Amino acid sequence: MRIHVVDHPLVAHKLTTLRDKRTDSPTFRRLADELVTLLAYEATRDVRTEQVDIETPVKATTGVRLSHPRPMVVPILRAGLGMLDGMVRLLPTAEVGFLGMIRDEETLQASTYATRMPEDLSGRQVYVLDPMLATGGTLVAAIRELIARGADDVTALCLLAAPQGVELMERELAGAPVTVVTSSIDERLNEQGYIAPGLGDAGDRMYGSAG
């Protein structure tokens, strides 16, 4: 498994405002969207392409386009939805699937409650969106589901990661075709399983705490 921490001043600037507890939900959503687009730029460096012959207004030339099957973007509900627009802005022709997962706040174990994806992902590059790589249980379960459906290249985009989550993924997904792209690996998880210093509950900060 590969870990890529994006080191860029714009990423650091936006992340700082996301961390600030005074940042309201509309601003948080906008900045998360902008930050995801920056992460997506790095995450798609190895997106598969094929050559195509075209005619410019001046002469014939050869370029590239995204190859088939098209990439798939899979946000993990609900917080991953806040990352979707920023991702498909760079990959507008990608297909979108959905994976609903919930974490038990006592056991910290993740379980699936909804899926909306093709049964066969053979040959697909899949980009899974989850703001927080905390304990790692949710992403491990999600990526196992994608690989079981045939995905052979999975990239997880996370706003933040904790060392414990990275370690769990490296252990549980050893040898799997997985890359993690994030803006920071923070200090630790606290006693409640939240990333510290982190930015709090990403879903609540994007959408409020209803439900």
Side-chain angles (χ1 to χ4, degrees):
M1 193 183 81
R2 296 185 300 165
I3 302 288
H4 178 36
V5 179
V6 179
D7 182 15
H8 192 285
L10 286 179
V11 169
H13 166 74
K14 294 178 189 301
L15 179 58
T16 298
T17 307
L18 286 174
R19 291 187 190 276
D20 193 333
K21 66 181 182 180
R22 298 170 297 178
T23 300
D24 59 24
S25 288
T27 304
F28 190 97
R29 287 194 297 270
R30 176 178 58 80
L31 287 172
D33 177 78
E34 294 171 359
L35 180 54
V36 170
T37 299
L38 294 173
L39 296 179
Y41 180 80
E42 295 294 331
T44 54
R45 283 187 178 274
D46 295 323
V47 68
R48 294 170 187 161
T49 60
E50 58 190 18
Q51 285 192 343
V52 58
D53 295 326
I54 63 169
E55 293 275 350
T56 79
V58 179
K59 62 170 292 185
T61 189
T62 301
V64 298
R65 64 184 175 194
L66 296 185
S67 59
H68 285 79
R70 288 181 290 173
M72 172 157 284
V73 178
V74 179
I76 297 179
L77 305 179
R78 72 176 166 150
L81 281 176
M83 302 174 69
L84 181 58
D85 286 348
M87 186 70 194
V88 297
R89 185 173 294 116
L90 285 190
L91 284 176
T93 61
E95 294 184 350
V96 178
F98 296 94
L99 187 56
M101 307 195 78
I102 190 167
R103 186 181 73 163
D104 187 296
E105 294 302 325
E106 294 183 1
T107 67
L108 304 182
Q109 296 300 308
S111 59
T112 302
Y113 66 85
T115 57
R116 185 71 175 180
M117 296 184 296
E119 289 297 326
D120 185 6
L121 294 175
S122 298
R124 289 286 188 104
Q125 285 182 292
V126 180
Y127 298 89
V128 58
L129 311 179
D130 193 12
M132 313 298 281
L133 172 50
T135 63
T138 298
L139 263 181
V140 166
I143 290 172
R144 281 177 171 165
E145 174 72 21
L146 297 170
I147 292 174
R149 293 176 183 237
D152 65 0
D153 187 338
V154 179
T155 299
L157 278 77
C158 306
L159 301 181
L160 290 179
Q164 293 93 327
V166 171
E167 291 167 7
L168 181 75
M169 290 189 67
E170 289 177 330
R171 183 170 67 250
E172 297 295 325
L173 299 172
V178 176
T179 300
V180 174
V181 178
T182 184
S183 57
S184 174
I185 299 178
D186 276 12
E187 296 173 10
R188 60 184 176 86
L189 291 179
N190 66 14
E191 293 74 13
Q192 291 76 42
Y194 285 96
I195 298 174
L199 49 75
D201 186 298
D204 287 353
R205 295 200 64 191
M206 285 181 186
Y207 304 117
S209 57

